[in-house]
Amino acid sequence: MARIRPLVRWCSLSLAALIAACGGGGGGSSDASNPSNPNTPTTPTSVAVSFAAPEAENVYGVGTALSLSAQVTVNGAAAVDGTPVSFSASPGTFSASGTTRSGVATVAFSGTTPGRQQLSASVSVSSGSSAAATATATRIVYLRPAPAALEVLVPAYFHPSSGTEWARLASGAAANPAVKVTAIVNPNNGEFTAAEAAYASALGAFVSAGGKVVGYVYTGYGARSLAAVKANIDAYFALYGRNLISGIFLDEMSSDASKLSGYREIYAYIKAKGADLRVIGNPGMVPDTADYATVADVLVTFEARNTTYATYDPRTTPWLYTLANNRQSSLVHNTATCADMQKAVQSAASPLYNAGLVYMTDLQYDPVKDIGNPWESLPSYWTALLQTVGAVNQGRTPPAC
């Protein structure tokens, strides 16, 4: 105690002298504006937050485990460890909080709502009595339902007596039992009053080999009378039977919302004949409204050249990601080589394209001049197409062309 006495006597000065002699004011070590102490937070004049992950505009599967990461800076420097960051997603009910480490906060995210998702990261930083500085960042991603295996949908617009194409269809289906193959039969543009023996025989052989058949009916983009459409539908089941016909392909489907009521009636008419009958609608493009997904089990959202397919981007119509891939089809012509076909099949199977029923052919068609028929026979690489689809479904490298 004797050694303390001199210090006490020395500090028994005026209050001002005591403050000066004993190291300054009581706020010296916690002054928010003191830059000499790196562990002391500064008054936040600016706060910024940006997403580091996941990648913007990517497509992921519903339920996929993702990391949401946001980088936070305060006055241009990384936020101090422990700065809270709030994350959310819309639509949906996801919300979570994380704290920064080296300026980055990360939380786990597993989305359950398919379609376009807007992710948000928000931060609010304050110091002492100063007003809080806030910032929010957003990032768009897309979630799709769990995909089914690819199928092959063949516009089989060739007569059984004109060659060996129906035999090739059957042998291909038999040789690749793991790949679902559906053929669109098209006798006389879907208008007939009697069953042809050649068709009955060809369809029977194809179905016995494991294939499925849907009957072609054109709708004139909604302008054809419902009575005529229903009469064509009736003919398939009355003349060829449910044992051969397992659905209807509605060609020339409108994409106009004003035509929906007619297609709704056609869809109900088919389903009344059997709930398991598959209705495939072909607008040949993405319809103007998502309501078209309610009048068909499958929509052909792409029918065009391979060069156009290379730039196809369903993200411009986000509602397509609310549909499972087996509710969407791509029919791609002018796919010149086997290698081109394999690239197109792999694109179709990707999360971005989200296609389920596919067909690629090297036959040519010029839609501007209306020259050519891409569906008049099977592609030269028919066997390779089936093998490629099988390989992609199993996660294997496609066979060499």
Side-chain angles (χ1 to χ4, degrees):
M1 296 299 292
R3 295 177 60 188
I4 296 176
R5 294 181 186 276
L7 179 59
V8 172
R9 287 197 301 272
W10 177 67
C11 286
S12 298
L13 306 173
S14 69
L15 179 60
L18 177 62
I19 292 173
C22 293
S29 61
S30 60
D31 186 348
S33 63
N34 179 11
S36 64
N37 187 349
N39 296 317
T40 300
T42 58
T43 300
T45 58
S46 67
V47 174
V49 59
S50 61
F51 268 97
E55 282 192 48
E57 300 294 324
N58 262 15
V59 183
Y60 304 94
V62 165
T64 299
L66 300 176
S67 291
L68 308 189
S69 294
Q71 187 166 11
V72 181
T73 60
V74 178
N75 297 345
V80 297
D81 288 358
T83 300
V85 180
S86 298
F87 294 87
S88 62
S90 179
T93 59
F94 173 81
S95 64
S97 296
T99 55
T100 57
R101 183 177 179 82
S102 300
V104 177
T106 301
V107 298
F109 171 67
S110 183
T112 59
T113 305
R116 181 181 185 272
Q117 288 275 315
Q118 178 172 294
L119 308 176
S120 298
S122 300
V123 63
S124 179
V125 179
S126 61
S127 178
S129 60
S130 62
T134 62
T136 297
T138 60
R139 174 149 290 183
I140 302 301
V141 298
Y142 302 85
L143 301 180
R144 68 164 181 164
L150 291 182
E151 304 177 38
V152 176
L153 177 64
V154 184
Y157 300 174
F158 33 78
H159 196 278
S161 64
S162 63
T164 60
E165 299 304 84
W166 277 97
R168 292 178 65 202
L169 266 174
S171 62
N176 298 271
V179 177
K180 293 183 179 179
V181 183
T182 298
I184 307 166
V185 64
N186 185 5
N188 196 39
N189 209 29
E191 297 183 289
F192 54 91
T193 56
E196 291 187 51
Y199 267 118
S201 176
L203 299 186
F206 178 63
V207 170
S208 295
K212 299 285 187 181
V213 178
V214 294
Y216 177 96
V217 176
Y218 74 93
T219 65
Y221 302 101
R224 193 175 184 218
S225 74
L226 292 177
V229 170
K230 291 177 180 179
N232 287 173
I233 293 168
D234 290 343
Y236 280 107
F237 298 110
L239 298 173
Y240 288 103
R242 282 288 309 274
N243 60 319
L244 296 181
I245 305 299
S246 57
I248 296 295
F249 181 83
L250 298 174
D251 199 20
E252 298 181 355
M253 175 179 267
S254 176
S255 64
D256 189 337
S258 66
K259 304 293 185 180
L260 263 170
S261 60
Y263 287 104
R264 191 168 287 117
E265 184 173 339
I266 294 169
Y267 182 74
Y269 186 77
I270 297 169
K271 289 295 185 177
K273 295 179 178 296
D276 60 328
L277 292 173
R278 199 176 201 183
V279 181
I280 304 175
N282 182 27
M285 59 185 292
V286 178
D288 295 343
T289 170
D291 289 337
Y292 268 90
T294 67
V295 297
D297 302 316
V298 181
L299 286 172
V300 178
T301 54
F302 184 93
E303 181 185 350
R305 295 172 172 173
N306 183 66
T307 51
T308 306
Y309 200 52
T311 60
Y312 178 56
D313 191 347
R315 292 175 298 186
T316 60
T317 316
W319 64 261
L320 290 176
Y321 292 109
T322 67
L323 303 179
N325 71 324
N326 60 4
R327 299 202 59 204
Q328 301 179 64
S329 176
S330 297
L331 306 179
V332 190
H333 52 75
N334 294 59
T335 310
T337 68
C338 177
D340 292 334
M341 172 273 291
Q342 291 187 333
K343 183 176 181 181
V345 169
Q346 290 171 319
S347 293
S350 70
L352 174 63
Y353 279 55
N354 195 37
L357 283 69
V358 302
Y359 186 70
M360 287 77 190
T361 180
D362 51 356
L363 273 66
Q364 303 289 301
Y365 174 61
D366 185 336
V368 176
K369 299 179 180 179
D370 194 22
I371 297 175
N373 180 0
W375 322 129
E376 65 184 358
S377 66
L378 294 172
S380 62
Y381 42 66
W382 166 243
T383 299
L385 171 60
L386 295 175
Q387 293 173 345
T388 298
V389 169
V392 169
N393 284 342
Q394 295 173 19
R396 297 184 287 106
T397 301
C401 289

